[in-house]
Amino acid sequence: MRQLFLALLSALLPFAAAAQDRPVLTVYTYDSFVSDWGPGPEIEKRFEAVCDCDLQFVGSGDGAALLARIRLEGANTRADIALGLDNNLIAEAAATGLFAPHGLSPKLDLPVAWDDPVFLPYDWGHFAFVYDSTKLADPPDSFAALMAAPESLKIIIEDPRSSTPGLGLVMWIKAIYGDEAGAVWRRLAPHILTVTKGWSEAYGLFLEGEADMVLSYTTSPAYHRIAEGDDTKRAAIFSEGHGMQIEVAALMAGAKHPDLARRFLRFMLSDAFQEVIPTTNWMFPAVTPAAGLPEGFAEPLPAGASILLPPEKVPALRKAALAEWREALSR
Amino acid sequence: MRLLPGWIGLAAVLALTLGPLIPLGLQAGAAPGFGGPEWGALRFTLLQSGLSAGLSCLGGVVLARALSRQRFPGRRLLLSVMGAPFILPAIVAVLALSAVWGRSGILSDVLAALGLGRLDIYGLPGVVLAHVFFNLPLVTRLVLQELAAVPAEHWRLAAHLGLSRGTVFRYIEWPAIRTALPGAFVLVFLLSVTSFAVVLALGGGPGAATLELEIYQALSFDFDPGRAAMLALAQYALCLSLGLVALRLARQAGFGPGLDLALTRLDGAAYRRADALVIGLGGLFLLTPLAMLAARGVEGLIAGLPAATWPAARLSLVVALSSSALGMALALAMAALIAGLRRAAPARARLIEAAGFLALTASPFALGAGIFLALRPVVDPFALAVPVLIAVNAVMALPFSLRILLPALERVEADYGRLAASLGLAGWSRLRYLTLPRLRRPAGFAAGLAAAFSMGDLGVIALFAPPDLATLPLAIHRLMGAYRMQAAMGVALMLVGLCLVIFVVFERLGAADDRA
Amino acid sequence: MIGLEGLVLRRDGFRLTADASLPEGSITALIGPSGAGKSTLLDAFAGFLAPEAGRITIAGRDMAGLAPAERPVSILFQDHNLFPHLDVAQNLGLGIRSDLRLSVKDRRAVEAVLADVGLAGMAARRPAALSGGQRQRVALARALLRRRPVLLLDEPFAGLDPALRKEMLDLVARMARRQAMTVVMVTHLPEDARRIAGLTALISGGRLHPPQPTATAFDKPSPEMAAYLGA
């Protein structure tokens, strides 16, 4: 009884930061970045070894929730850095005026040109449909082939209203097909087994064998290969090209420790940070580390296969693209 | 004086359900509300919720009657295990269900082996199936509790008079069932209305969406807190009006007290076969997906749980036990208030009772964001994450604990209120020597349910969780987000196991001194 | 002394008027047809029903606004006088201290009163393990422990067989004399009234008729009493 009470008490006590002299650098990010299985813990250890500071990651939901949170807090946010927005969120993030230029001119290994003065990429990936090669011998090699496939070929996608990859797919198709996107969705509709709230549900259902393909990343098979020694999962490469997700970090205009924050951004593009990314975040590092990518990691797509809507065009297109998507799939 | 804690409880409930919407509403101008697609989503929501609630109630009554008639070894354990679906995190439940009912689930495999087609449940059937899976145990327990409250003398009399099955149902069982059914219907209906991840995942398309998705969207991609507040308010309005209608329909059976005779129903023998079939089918329906989860979870357990599981389990336990205790105090105080006002001001009593449902339609996202906004100017919300989580979970469990405790409390008042009044039993003595002993069994059930509910709830912590603090459901989400499905299933199995232990312990406590 | 002054009671559309006074230490039988309002009147005495008009006094004290437990009365209902989940000793203990914190002296009093009502040694039983008559004895014992000057009996012995009922009535009379209690008992049997009640009052036609000595009431019945008795 007494022990229970003490346990209760200790849990109820505010999580007061231990009094210390080292400056605290606060980085807001998404939840999976800070989890034990994400890059967060290792990166915290590595940066703290060199910065003489206390690096605190604060995770909340996904990228969209992260931006919402920053907007809720407004100018007097505690964050020094926001890490984890992506190309589809950048324009809206920029419009808040809450972010400051990073002032760096790094050399990035991105398949597309990137010179945004505020948002600095730390990793990137291509969306792709992942399949099990033992079950699907002859996967479609394009959206055209997917549309033409027999109706029994089923895919699971994420809802663009609640999930980043889901929105990525909608913008991917919009970028390829423009005004024809609605018609494409109508032809894809019979193949869509279901639409899930987030990536985890979709991927979990796929692993249960519910559908032939699931919307994920070209890097997903690398996880199964490296962590599980399972070489059966593959990403279907589409001839129309692949939508990109570029994940970025940015300095907050109201940062308490702007110099330390800039130092972190520089660290972010160094090997110490970048070599952690492939096997924790399962994305391509924004700057390939000197040692190269880990053994068995995904091959980058050939040049020219990357499809990226200019971030500033996303807000205007998003609403229309969502409406088309919804209209086509609600039939 | 006796009602004061109830008023305080009511204020706390309103503060934690409606209160958080105020800072949200103050944020930004709400975008105009409903268009064609929203109406479509609303229609689907009402349809699936109505079907889910109807089928859960139907199945619940059939199963509860069978269980009330029969006594067999393992009955109590079955009752406890059956309750597990109720606390499964949505994502785990979806996977467990798909392992049975999915295109590559065991049922499809059997059908395919027989040369029949594979099942395709995605769409309305899948959504309803999932909601019945979640809620059937709840309805069964609520109805069973009322059947168990029928004084043994009535069964004795029925057996003595040789009343026909129809007569027994009409004059003994139905009045008891009717006490619980409208409330149970509303519970399931509203749970289905606010369900989100399950509806999407099994719904097959964007048409299968609920208002909850709109709220989520308004709070993330669209960033329109005003709209989120408005939609949340709309959900509350739906909840309150439905609650009021249902409460009008509910009636106390008014059997009067029995003498706690140790006597069970005598009509079990005549129904043995039919009941065995019903209980068997119900058990299969509820337990097979759990068995699939267990099979996958065991692999995860053997592979070893991640280190982060243990602090998460500890935190989950602390939160669950504290919010259960707080929630029970809250439910008792509110139940006393409602019972106390019942005669003098029936309309007001009903309104307060309906307010007890409010937390059902509370959107965790809107609540989380609102509380965050409200606390931020005053204190670091992270510092209060655990107390806030406990308080919110206590209020979230209120609709269930109130449904369980209120009918029982009103029965106590009706049967022994006058005697207690003439003896001057008041305050603590009344609680200790009358209320609590008479409520022991339902209170044990309610406390267990509240604790389990709060264990399985992801709720507001998604927004609130400080970096080094995770509950078990959050740990499951994080594992899945990092491809570690097997480990996630292991943790899910542990979550279910812990919930069951809590559940069984609380129920045993509730029945420890029970001679009936 | 119990005084009823211009008393008007109303319950569920039914109305009862009463003007009477019952002397201290008396036993009064309230007699009358079912539904005439006998229990309603007792409920008003005990504080479960507030008068629409008029007042009830006990020993000169106005009962208005007093909670049931604050009134100088004990009441025995037809049934449900005991909490089934508490044992006999606990049920009795509630008559002494509602928080059940009993002193050694209190415990002795409980044992003594059990012996008085003929239930020595049954303290640890639960009501379900007692017969109907024994349960009412426990209830009576608790009334004795409470030492309230007025004892109200709402047909507590109606379910008992005749010999047992007589025995219980005698017990009540004996105990009432010992504690100088004023007793009001509801009954529909003249023989009950004749056995222990000095006074009898008829309730019929929505009013309480003035109490009369029991013998007079039955031997020279008023027209209303004659109608009730069917003589």
Side-chain angles (χ1 to χ4, degrees):
Chain A
M1 196 62 206
R2 200 184 155 85
Q3 271 177 343
L4 182 70
F5 179 73
L6 286 177
L8 265 172
L9 201 67
S10 67
L12 288 170
L13 280 177
F15 287 76
Q20 54 189 1
D21 306 326
R22 293 185 301 163
V24 176
L25 183 71
T26 308
V27 177
Y28 281 12
T29 182
Y30 46 76
D31 192 58
S32 64
F33 195 89
V34 294
S35 85
D36 284 16
W37 309 279
E42 180 64 23
I43 282 168
E44 184 177 339
K45 205 170 78 194
R46 292 183 175 204
F47 187 59
E48 283 179 353
V50 298
C51 74
D52 192 31
C53 69
D54 179 10
L55 174 60
Q56 286 191 356
F57 283 114
V58 175
S60 52
D62 60 357
L66 165 65
L67 179 57
R69 163 129 195 217
I70 287 167
R71 292 167 84 163
L72 278 177
E73 296 194 4
N76 61 352
T77 174
R78 238 179 54 183
D80 296 300
I81 285 177
L83 182 148
L85 304 173
D86 75 358
N87 45 302
N88 285 327
L89 293 167
I90 282 179
E92 289 187 41
T96 63
L98 293 169
F99 301 92
H102 48 70
L104 303 176
S105 44
K107 199 196 147 309
L108 300 170
D109 298 311
L110 255 54
V112 292
W114 190 273
D115 52 7
D116 192 290
V118 176
F119 299 97
L120 195 60
Y122 61 90
D123 68 16
W124 59 277
H126 283 114
F127 295 115
F129 287 96
V130 170
Y131 65 97
D132 184 332
S133 60
T134 60
K135 293 180 183 160
L136 189 64
D138 189 19
D141 57 1
S142 62
F143 276 114
L146 176 56
M147 284 185 270
E151 243 183 59
S152 61
L153 183 98
K154 295 290 183 193
I155 61 173
I156 298 177
I157 64 171
E158 294 84 344
D159 195 310
R161 296 169 292 181
S162 57
S163 134
T164 315
L167 182 59
L169 174 64
V170 168
M171 300 317 282
W172 173 12
I173 286 179
K174 189 72 185 166
I176 299 174
Y177 294 98
D179 293 342
E180 297 301 307
V184 169
W185 278 115
R186 272 194 291 283
R187 291 189 58 197
L188 287 177
H191 297 291
I192 297 175
L193 180 71
T194 196
V195 177
T196 65
K197 175 191 173 216
W199 177 88
S200 305
E201 288 95 337
Y203 211 79
L205 283 173
F206 163 70
L207 290 181
E208 285 284 328
E210 285 299 282
D212 303 292
M213 303 206 291
V214 63
L215 174 65
S216 189
Y217 298 88
T218 59
T219 41
S220 299
Y223 169 79
H224 299 283
R225 209 154 40 230
I226 295 175
E228 297 177 341
D230 166 12
D231 198 25
T232 61
K233 308 292 184 292
R234 304 279 162 80
I237 305 305
F238 280 12
S239 59
E240 294 95 340
H242 285 254
M244 272 195 89
Q245 182 174 37
I246 299 174
E247 298 196 287
V248 300
L251 175 65
M252 303 304 304
K256 307 235 171 7
H257 307 288
D259 293 333
L260 189 57
R262 283 205 175 81
R263 196 169 157 202
F264 177 80
L265 290 179
R266 274 195 300 276
F267 171 80
M268 186 178 87
L269 296 178
S270 72
D271 281 8
F273 183 112
Q274 292 286 313
E275 64 194 17
V276 177
I277 290 295
T279 53
T280 52
N281 229 23
W282 302 99
M283 296 283 271
F284 288 106
V287 177
T288 312
L293 292 171
E295 177 81 23
F297 201 72
E299 292 294 316
L301 294 178
S306 296
I307 294 177
L308 182 71
L309 279 172
E312 64 276 10
K313 289 197 177 161
V314 170
L317 283 175
R318 188 172 71 98
K319 259 207 153 67
L322 277 183
E324 281 168 2
W325 169 83
R326 184 164 172 166
E327 202 267 340
L329 263 58
S330 294
R331 293 194 161 198
Chain B
M1 187 50 217
R2 261 179 61 221
L3 304 187
L4 183 66
W7 290 113
I8 296 172
L10 179 65
V13 169
L14 294 181
L16 276 174
T17 49
L18 293 169
L21 299 189
I22 298 170
L24 281 185
L26 292 178
Q27 273 281 310
F34 267 52
E38 279 87 0
W39 283 116
L42 186 65
R43 258 200 311 279
F44 180 83
T45 299
L46 295 180
L47 178 65
Q48 63 91 351
S49 305
L51 280 174
S52 303
L55 287 175
S56 299
C57 284
L58 192 69
V61 167
V62 172
L63 197 52
R65 284 186 70 204
L67 283 166
S68 101
R69 278 192 291 254
Q70 306 299 337
R71 291 290 179 281
F72 49 89
R75 178 177 178 271
R76 242 155 80 168
L77 187 67
L78 178 70
L79 281 176
S80 299
V81 178
M82 255 175 48
F86 185 68
I87 49 95
L88 281 185
I91 187 168
V92 177
V94 165
L95 294 182
L97 277 174
S98 80
V100 176
W101 296 90
R103 294 197 335 140
S104 49
I106 46 174
L107 223 58
S108 280
D109 288 346
V110 171
L111 288 176
L114 295 175
L116 304 161
R118 290 187 166 269
L119 286 174
D120 183 0
I121 55 161
Y122 294 90
L124 188 61
V127 175
V128 172
L129 181 80
H131 287 156
V132 173
F133 173 67
F134 280 129
N135 297 309
L136 181 65
L138 180 69
V139 178
T140 305
R141 290 302 302 262
L142 287 174
V143 172
L144 194 57
Q145 180 189 322
E146 290 308 309
L147 286 175
V150 173
E153 289 83 344
H154 292 269
W155 301 122
R156 196 171 52 187
L157 189 63
H160 168 68
L161 296 176
L163 298 183
S164 74
R165 297 172 180 201
T167 313
V168 168
F169 180 73
R170 199 166 148 208
Y171 292 110
I172 302 182
E173 291 181 307
W174 178 243
I177 293 168
R178 193 173 162 182
T179 316
L181 213 52
F185 184 92
V186 172
L187 279 183
V188 180
F189 189 94
L190 293 177
L191 282 172
S192 308
V193 163
T194 47
S195 147
F196 164 20
V198 170
V199 173
L200 261 184
L202 296 176
T210 52
L211 271 185
E212 198 65 20
L213 170 75
E214 305 272 339
I215 294 175
Y216 184 83
Q217 196 188 2
L219 277 174
S220 60
F221 283 112
D222 288 351
F223 194 67
D224 188 348
R227 180 174 157 79
M230 215 183 63
L231 293 168
L233 215 55
Q235 286 206 102
Y236 282 141
L238 178 68
C239 167
L240 208 57
S241 37
L242 246 164
L244 282 173
V245 170
L247 295 176
R248 260 189 179 287
L249 294 176
R251 292 257 190 298
Q252 278 287 318
F255 283 126
L259 279 165
D260 290 5
L261 293 179
L263 192 94
T264 50
R265 296 181 60 166
L266 300 169
D267 52 352
Y271 285 91
R272 189 145 290 150
R273 275 199 192 153
D275 287 348
L277 187 69
V278 166
I279 296 170
L281 283 179
L284 267 182
F285 174 68
L286 294 170
L287 299 185
T288 320
L290 292 177
M292 298 306 283
L293 164 67
R296 280 163 182 64
V298 165
E299 293 169 21
L301 287 179
I302 291 170
L305 289 175
T309 313
W310 305 110
R314 195 188 74 120
L315 177 67
S316 280
L317 264 177
V318 168
V319 169
L321 294 179
S322 322
S323 61
S324 167
L326 187 63
M328 288 309 289
L330 198 62
L332 263 179
M334 297 248 323
L337 173 66
I338 294 163
L341 289 178
R342 185 73 81 200
R343 246 166 195 287
R348 212 171 338 148
R350 207 149 44 214
L351 194 63
I352 296 172
E353 201 180 343
F357 279 122
L358 269 185
L360 267 189
T361 48
S363 156
F365 311 112
L367 278 198
I371 293 172
F372 183 81
L373 272 179
L375 288 182
R376 228 179 75 82
V378 195
V379 57
D380 177 9
F382 282 160
L384 287 181
V386 174
V388 163
L389 188 62
I390 289 171
V392 169
N393 278 342
V395 170
M396 290 289 207
L398 184 68
F400 309 101
S401 31
L402 196 58
R403 286 269 52 78
I404 297 165
L405 287 183
L406 185 61
L409 184 76
E410 295 205 273
R411 231 174 354 248
V412 172
E413 288 300 321
D415 296 348
Y416 298 105
R418 287 200 327 167
L419 178 58
S422 76
L423 287 175
L425 272 183
W428 176 241
S429 297
R430 192 186 171 99
L431 198 64
R432 174 150 178 223
Y433 293 116
L434 174 59
T435 315
L436 289 182
R438 295 307 294 171
L439 288 186
R440 231 183 139 115
R441 199 199 276 250
F445 173 39
L449 194 68
F453 181 75
S454 134
M455 276 223 67
D457 186 50
L458 183 62
V460 290
I461 195 148
L463 262 173
F464 258 107
D468 47 358
L469 203 64
T471 56
L472 284 176
L474 195 57
I476 293 171
H477 269 254
R478 286 178 173 170
L479 280 165
M480 283 191 166
Y483 288 95
R484 283 156 176 83
M485 303 289 169
Q486 197 191 44
M489 286 301 171
V491 178
L493 184 60
M494 176 175 166
L495 172 68
V496 171
L498 267 180
C499 284
L500 279 182
V501 169
I502 291 187
F503 212 77
V504 170
V505 167
F506 272 100
E507 285 211 285
R508 288 280 146 95
L509 285 180
D513 192 35
D514 200 344
R515 304 199 179 175
Chain C
M1 190 186 74
I2 302 176
L4 310 175
E5 301 164 21
L7 189 67
V8 180
L9 301 175
R10 191 182 290 279
R11 174 182 273 172
D12 302 331
F14 161 85
R15 191 166 179 269
L16 178 74
T17 61
D19 262 293
S21 91
L22 310 174
E24 198 170 323
S26 64
I27 298 181
T28 306
L30 293 179
I31 201 164
S34 308
K38 304 184 294 285
S39 296
T40 304
L41 189 57
L42 284 204
D43 276 355
F45 287 166
F48 297 119
L49 176 69
E52 188 176 85
R55 56 187 209 136
I56 300 169
T57 61
I58 295 179
R61 188 159 160 235
D62 190 349
M63 291 293 108
L66 285 185
E70 293 164 359
R71 301 190 177 210
V73 304
S74 286
I75 183 167
L76 265 61
F77 303 110
Q78 194 158 353
D79 40 25
H80 316 320
N81 288 301
L82 305 180
F83 294 112
H85 53 281
L86 302 180
D87 65 27
V88 166
Q90 285 175 309
N91 268 297
L92 286 177
L94 287 175
I96 303 176
R97 281 190 69 124
S98 64
D99 60 5
L100 277 186
R101 278 188 211 149
L102 301 186
S103 64
V104 178
K105 198 174 128 235
D106 293 335
R107 280 175 217 284
R108 269 196 218 115
V110 166
E111 279 162 31
V113 79
L114 266 180
D116 279 348
V117 298
L119 291 177
M122 303 234 182
R125 294 213 189 166
R126 292 222 181 178
L130 299 178
S131 72
Q134 287 172 325
R135 277 181 219 136
Q136 300 304 54
R137 277 170 197 262
V138 175
L140 179 63
R142 189 177 57 207
L144 296 176
L145 277 174
R146 295 185 77 212
R147 302 202 161 270
R148 305 279 163 120
V150 174
L151 176 64
L152 307 173
L153 305 177
D154 192 358
E155 300 198 73
F157 312 129
L160 308 180
D161 57 52
L164 193 54
R165 204 175 73 235
K166 283 177 197 145
E167 202 183 312
M168 292 300 294
L169 287 173
D170 293 345
L171 181 63
V172 166
R174 207 161 60 235
M175 294 300 159
R177 214 172 308 126
R178 194 159 91 187
Q179 289 199 5
M181 288 193 289
T182 308
V183 179
V184 182
M185 57 181 272
V186 165
T187 183
H188 52 267
L189 298 174
E191 58 195 88
D192 284 5
R194 281 187 199 271
R195 189 161 189 97
I196 64 166
L199 294 171
T200 292
L202 176 71
I203 295 186
S204 70
R207 87 185 181 92
L208 173 74
H209 300 268
Q212 290 174 290
T214 300
T216 316
F218 293 121
D219 295 342
K220 297 176 186 159
S222 61
E224 292 88 356
M225 180 67 95
Y228 171 67
L229 294 173

